[in-house]
Amino acid sequence: MNTSLSWIKAYVPELSCTDQEYADAMTLTGTKVETYARRDKNLEKIVIGQIQKIEKHPDADKLIVCQVDIGNEVIQIVTGAPNVKEGDKVPVVLDGGKVAGGHDGGPLPEDGIVIKAGKLRGVPSNGMMCSIEELGSSREMYPEAPELGIYIFPEDAQVGADAVEALGLRDTVFEYEITSNRVDCYSVLGVAREAAATFKKPFVAPQVEVKADSGKVEDYISVEVEDAELCPRYCARVCTNIKIAPSPKWMQLRLAASGIRPINNLVDITNYVMEEYGQPMHAFDLDMVAGHKIIVRRAKDGDVFQTLDGQMRNLDKDMLMICDADKEIGIAGIMGGENSKITDNVKTVLFEAATFNGANIRKSAKRLGLRTDASGIFEKGLDPRNAQAAIDRACQLIQELGCGEVVDGMVDVCVPLAELKKIRFDKNRINALLGTDVSEQEMKEIFERLELTLEKQEDGTEVLVIPSFRQDLEGIADIAEEVARFYGYDKIPMTLPNGEATTGKLPFKLRIEQKARDIAEYCGFSQGMCYSFESPKVFDKLLLSPEDKLRSAVTIANPLGEDFSIMRTISLNGMLTSLATNYNRRNKDVRLYELGNIYLPESLPLSKLPDERMQFTLGMYGNGDFFTMKGVVEEFFDSIGMHKKAVYDPKAGKNFLHPGRQANICYEGSIVGYLGEVHPEVCDNYDLKTKAYIAVLDMPEILPFASFDRKYVSLAKYPAVSRDISMVVPKEILAGEIEAMITQRGGKLLEDYKLFDIYEGSQIKKGFKSLAYSITFRAKDRTLEDADVTAVMKKILNGLEGMGIELRS
């Protein structure tokens, strides 16, 4: 939102401050000023001069010598401008003055250009006549300026007067950052109200009074609204005998300061009212409205409509249209149609000021790819009461500018307007929320400046009646914020928070994730971050089968490109890409980890949000192997209280892992992740010319088993007894199966076991391997006897023999 300070002062006439004071004060009270710029920056010593005499330059065909009256003297200026003649009144930069830029309209130099007296081809020149571009503006904002040449003032301009002032450039334009809940501040009046409250000055709203010239509006137009939910209010007024002409200079200057190019009086009035009241309006040529009837209805699927910009737009049933008796003539709240646009031949104008459903306007504009100034305001949700005020203001300007005659009355199709909100006034509650001791009288003065009125109830309490333009005020906390804004945030003292003392700590889920980071970094892994958006080509690179459910991914509606068109269902692509990047940059022994979500839809197309699952992904190459990665996983399990033995199932069936070096990680019967060596073909697909290992842990599966509870166990009082066994084992039997048997048969006396030797060679028969374990026994209440240990060992050996394992003597 941009406003000029002069326009604000039109409604706060007593406002007197510097630009910086205004910016600082407005920012402190919540209307944040992003930046401001003087329109007369680098414009110095520029007056209105009148050319009295023109002669040819003696030594240059394209130059002329002008005698220019600047009020107190006549000076000589040499110029090459082709458009000046004797009697013209022009802007003149005097010796030592400044202009903002060059005549070519290029980028403005930071410090402007200093003009000094000198000679041009031997003839003295004591100043310079200016084009509009040299004054820091453009023909877009000053359409009367010539395309090439000097700006010419109207005949009534005063010779010797300040040319910058005459052009309306003695002004400052402020740019604000307005939050979307303050739709009232998307208008000059809204910002002016804030300025008046901030500086404690009276706010003087424009006095709007429309005196109808003739006729009745019902004789000209009728309105029917078929969908009141999408259009709760539609106001229409008619103006006749329209005369198209340039708008007055004061209106052009205010629009130009807001960045709007003046066009003609009719278009400028609708733009002016939109800026002033924050209510977009539209004007139709009534003679082009079939049946002199307006119908507000939804479009039909497949309809096509040509908008004012000449583009054909595809419509659907969720878009609201403004129609006449035969056809569509505008897309509600977004843009009018080519078939009803205002031309220079217009005689009768239909003004529209309506309130549309903000969410519907935003969705429609997005689907059409057509976002306009009007849609940007409508989508925030407008005050229905503002529509009538704005359309009356437009009709008043029609009369004041001599643009036409106003027909009596207004067609107003409106659902019952909601009553003004009322919020109970509680001084103590407001002070408690703010931690202040603001007096009741001071609060009431703030409310008065904000146009919040107090109303006494039958029970003696007071309520604040909220004006309709303050749709953001919903409860006592909002009222407290208003008090804080204008009492002054800088005056609010520091206070300790009230309430019970609490011990702050991370939620359990985040503590587990932090432990994952700690363990990974302790084991030499560095954290990486990968994109959640990926390409569908990832599935082929990872060798996923066509029927793999991981291929069912959520597709992005408006992706940056094919490479970022789906939401990832597996975390490996980012990890392998990062490992490959490091490998190809000759980094050795790389270890990376990531904590990031994958997105698994229940079904496609989406009927509800996908399942977002946090994955703890580890990847490495170089110094380490499958068992190194397994050790990191077990270190993590132990750190989060998962002290039971995890089981590693080699029948994981992951296409992207080496078929003989992969395993699902199981804990108490649940699969909590997987690990293994990356399949050589997948490594080739990622240009990773080395062995790589990965582990992926599904954090939602791990959380139920994790715990930070710790039990104290006293040191053993009684000695341990150890037994070593050496076995010849068929190769297909896994060490984990042997350990499960030892655990099962060992009972309460079993304290620990450890694999200390594996051997395969000529001394072991083919298809077998040799494993040796050290098994430790201990009782908590006594010293074990040899018979106790022998009995347990016999159970263990019997169990192993039942598996086809032979004991080596």
Side-chain angles (χ1 to χ4, degrees):
M1 178 67 193
N2 292 353
T3 69
S4 65
L5 189 58
S6 64
W7 201 348
I8 297 297
K9 287 181 177 179
Y11 310 122
V12 192
E14 295 182 18
L15 181 63
S16 177
C17 59
T18 66
D19 294 342
Q20 190 60 52
E21 288 170 347
Y22 178 86
D24 292 344
M26 292 293 281
T27 299
L28 282 174
T29 55
T31 310
K32 183 183 177 185
V33 175
E34 282 286 295
T35 184
Y36 64 88
R38 292 285 310 178
R39 298 191 71 204
D40 59 357
K41 181 182 179 182
N42 295 326
L43 301 180
E44 299 176 8
K45 297 179 70 174
I46 305 176
V47 299
I48 299 175
Q50 186 171 27
I51 301 173
Q52 293 186 338
K53 185 178 181 182
I54 297 177
E55 298 175 328
K56 289 186 177 181
H57 192 290
D59 295 323
D61 292 339
K62 294 185 178 181
L63 297 179
I64 56 175
V65 181
C66 303
Q67 304 302 320
V68 184
D69 180 9
I70 59 170
N72 56 354
E73 62 175 316
V74 176
I75 63 174
Q76 179 172 286
I77 297 176
V78 179
T79 181
N83 68 311
V84 293
K85 62 183 185 300
E86 292 180 359
D88 282 346
K89 295 179 179 179
V90 296
V92 176
V93 190
L94 304 179
D95 180 25
K98 272 187 180 182
V99 292
H103 67 277
D104 58 355
L108 301 181
E110 181 64 28
D111 298 321
I113 299 171
V114 179
I115 304 301
K116 294 186 177 181
K119 291 184 178 181
L120 285 176
R121 300 291 291 270
V123 176
S125 182
N126 298 310
M128 184 182 82
M129 294 182 280
C130 303
S131 67
I132 198 66
E133 288 79 12
E134 287 163 329
L135 295 173
S137 192
S138 67
R139 290 185 65 247
E140 187 177 42
M141 297 305 172
Y142 290 83
E144 74 277 12
E147 184 174 356
L148 295 170
I150 304 304
Y151 182 83
I152 308 297
F153 283 103
E155 292 182 2
D156 59 355
Q158 183 181 348
V159 174
D162 184 348
V164 179
E165 180 74 33
L167 285 166
L169 295 175
R170 294 286 184 212
D171 202 354
T172 307
V173 176
F174 290 85
E175 180 184 343
Y176 308 88
E177 180 186 323
I178 306 296
T179 54
S180 58
N181 66 324
R182 288 302 305 272
V183 66
D184 59 302
C185 286
Y186 284 89
S187 67
V188 177
L189 287 176
V191 175
R193 282 192 186 95
E194 289 289 303
T198 297
F199 290 94
K200 300 181 181 180
K201 302 294 183 184
F203 170 69
V204 182
Q207 296 299 310
V208 179
E209 185 178 353
V210 183
K211 295 179 180 179
D213 294 297
S214 62
K216 291 186 177 180
V217 71
E218 291 82 3
D219 297 334
Y220 288 84
I221 191 70
S222 63
V223 177
E224 178 185 341
V225 176
E226 293 185 0
D227 195 325
E229 182 181 351
L230 298 186
C231 178
R233 188 172 196 183
Y234 191 98
C235 300
R237 295 200 70 158
V238 175
C239 298
T240 61
N241 298 323
I242 296 297
K243 303 175 186 67
I244 299 295
S247 53
K249 202 66 186 175
W250 63 266
M251 180 176 284
Q252 291 187 31
L253 292 175
R254 287 182 179 179
L255 290 175
S258 297
I260 298 175
R261 179 172 63 91
I263 297 175
N264 60 48
N265 49 7
L266 190 58
V267 175
D268 291 352
I269 284 171
T270 58
N271 286 332
Y272 185 87
V273 172
M274 181 173 73
E275 290 295 304
E276 186 179 42
Y277 278 77
Q279 170 69 52
M281 292 183 58
H282 192 72
F284 297 102
D285 185 341
L286 187 59
D287 293 332
M288 301 179 74
V289 177
H292 285 196
K293 182 175 185 179
I294 292 293
I295 303 172
V296 184
R297 61 168 176 80
R298 291 174 182 257
K300 297 174 183 175
D301 286 333
D303 283 356
V304 177
F305 180 70
Q306 187 175 20
T307 46
L308 276 171
D309 57 4
Q311 300 293 314
M312 302 303 294
R313 309 287 178 178
N314 295 317
L315 309 177
D316 62 51
K317 62 181 177 60
D318 293 323
M319 295 178 184
L320 193 65
M321 302 297 294
I322 309 299
C323 310
D324 61 19
D326 297 335
K327 61 188 180 299
E328 296 96 344
I329 58 174
I331 305 175
I334 300 175
M335 186 177 283
E338 181 75 15
N339 55 10
S340 62
K341 69 179 181 180
I342 298 293
T343 66
D344 291 344
N345 300 320
V346 64
K347 297 301 180 187
T348 306
V349 163
L350 169 66
F351 276 131
E352 164 196 287
T355 305
F356 300 116
N357 181 284
N360 177 263
I361 295 297
R362 178 172 176 79
K363 291 175 182 177
S364 297
K366 188 174 181 181
R367 289 198 299 276
L368 289 167
L370 178 63
R371 198 166 189 270
T372 60
D373 291 341
S375 70
I377 296 176
F378 274 121
E379 68 187 24
K380 293 172 176 63
L382 298 185
D383 170 19
R385 288 178 169 83
N386 196 37
Q388 181 174 353
I391 203 168
D392 287 345
R393 175 63 162 161
C395 290
Q396 178 193 36
L397 291 171
I398 288 283
Q399 291 178 326
E400 289 183 358
L401 272 55
C403 187
E405 299 175 359
V406 180
V407 173
D408 188 25
M410 177 182 75
V411 176
D412 186 9
V413 179
C414 179
V415 298
L417 294 174
E419 291 187 7
L420 296 180
K421 285 179 290 189
K422 295 181 180 180
I423 299 174
R424 183 171 174 269
F425 172 55
D426 185 340
K427 181 199 76 168
N428 295 330
R429 176 63 176 152
I430 291 172
N431 277 322
L433 286 169
L434 298 179
T436 56
D437 189 22
V438 183
S439 69
E440 182 174 331
Q441 182 59 35
E442 192 168 358
M443 287 186 188
K444 289 182 176 179
E445 288 176 1
I446 291 171
F447 299 150
E448 185 178 355
R449 302 206 306 268
L450 293 171
E451 301 181 34
L452 311 181
T453 57
L454 278 164
E455 190 177 275
K456 203 117 182 168
Q457 302 297 100
E458 292 182 0
D459 60 0
T461 61
E462 290 181 301
V463 295
L464 284 162
V465 182
I466 310 301
S468 62
F469 59 81
R470 287 303 304 272
Q471 299 183 57
D472 59 305
L473 301 183
E474 297 283 351
I476 191 67
D478 299 315
I479 300 301
E481 182 184 5
E482 297 303 295
V483 172
R485 288 202 299 136
F486 294 100
Y487 173 71
Y489 288 113
D490 54 326
K491 296 180 184 177
I492 297 177
M494 290 185 291
T495 56
L496 291 172
N498 293 324
E500 288 185 26
T502 57
T503 303
K505 64 180 180 180
L506 290 174
F508 181 73
K509 173 179 176 289
L510 297 184
R511 290 171 67 198
I512 297 297
E513 290 175 12
Q514 185 57 54
K515 184 61 71 174
R517 292 186 188 93
D518 293 343
I519 294 301
E521 290 166 13
Y522 168 75
C523 294
F525 288 75
S526 299
Q527 186 170 13
M529 297 184 71
C530 304
Y531 293 116
S532 294
F533 296 168
E534 292 185 336
S535 167
K537 298 175 183 177
V538 165
F539 303 134
D540 292 332
K541 290 178 72 174
L542 292 173
L543 307 181
L544 295 186
S545 60
E547 63 276 5
D548 197 311
K549 64 180 181 180
L550 293 178
R551 286 182 177 267
S552 298
V554 178
T555 303
I556 309 300
N558 53 342
L560 296 172
E562 186 187 7
D563 289 344
F564 301 95
S565 61
I566 62 169
M567 302 187 76
R568 67 178 181 176
T569 57
I570 185 170
S571 61
L572 288 190
N573 177 64
M575 178 59 68
L576 292 176
T577 300
S578 298
L579 290 176
T581 300
N582 279 276
Y583 177 80
N584 288 297
R585 292 182 181 175
R586 302 181 184 279
N587 291 327
K588 296 180 179 180
D589 301 327
V590 172
R591 296 186 176 193
L592 299 174
Y593 78 92
E594 182 203 12
L595 279 163
N597 285 339
I598 59 171
Y599 306 87
L600 304 177
E602 183 178 293
S603 61
L604 293 175
L606 285 177
S607 56
K608 61 180 182 180
L609 292 175
D611 183 14
E612 298 185 28
R613 302 187 70 83
M614 176 65 70
Q615 306 290 286
F616 178 26
T617 306
L618 299 148
M620 71 178 188
Y621 67 79
N623 185 18
D625 57 15
F626 179 96
F627 297 102
T628 306
M629 187 67 82
K630 179 171 173 282
V632 176
V633 170
E634 293 183 345
E635 184 77 25
F636 170 59
F637 285 173
D638 189 62
S639 71
I640 59 173
M642 294 171 64
H643 300 307
K644 294 182 180 180
K645 286 285 184 179
V647 176
Y648 296 87
D649 179 7
K651 298 176 182 178
K654 307 292 184 185
N655 290 6
F656 45 80
L657 296 179
H658 192 293
R661 299 167 192 167
Q662 60 173 281
N664 278 333
I665 306 169
C666 305
Y667 192 86
E668 292 193 6
S670 296
I671 298 176
V672 297
Y674 57 86
L675 82 163
E677 180 184 326
V678 179
H679 196 291
E681 189 175 338
V682 174
C683 286
D684 288 341
N685 290 340
Y686 283 89
D687 197 22
L688 184 58
K689 308 299 183 184
T690 187
K691 290 183 178 181
Y693 301 90
I694 59 96
V696 178
L697 299 175
D698 189 25
M699 298 299 274
E701 287 291 337
I702 285 173
L703 286 176
F705 303 114
S707 171
F708 289 109
D709 294 338
R710 297 290 183 265
K711 278 187 178 180
Y712 167 74
V713 178
S714 61
L715 295 175
K717 296 180 180 180
Y718 302 99
V721 178
S722 295
R723 294 286 188 271
D724 292 345
I725 57 172
S726 181
M727 300 165 284
V728 178
V729 182
K731 283 188 175 182
E732 61 270 15
I733 294 179
L734 304 176
E737 297 176 71
I738 296 172
E739 293 168 1
M741 180 60 70
I742 294 173
T743 303
Q744 179 189 346
R745 296 296 181 97
K748 294 181 179 179
L749 297 183
L750 178 68
E751 182 179 74
D752 193 17
Y753 55 82
K754 185 176 293 184
L755 175 67
F756 66 86
D757 184 58
I758 301 176
Y759 175 75
E760 292 182 46
S762 57
Q763 297 180 12
I764 304 297
K765 57 185 176 180
K766 190 175 181 180
F768 286 77
K769 57 188 175 184
S770 172
L771 277 73
Y773 277 88
S774 177
I775 305 176
T776 304
F777 301 95
R778 191 194 304 267
K780 295 180 180 180
D781 56 350
R782 58 192 172 89
T783 299
L784 289 176
E785 297 180 359
D786 187 62
D788 298 323
V789 177
T790 300
V792 177
M793 280 298 299
K794 187 174 181 180
K795 290 181 181 179
I796 292 172
L797 295 176
N798 288 339
L800 294 175
E801 288 175 0
M803 296 171 64
I805 296 172
E806 300 176 12
L807 185 67
R808 296 182 66 190
S809 57

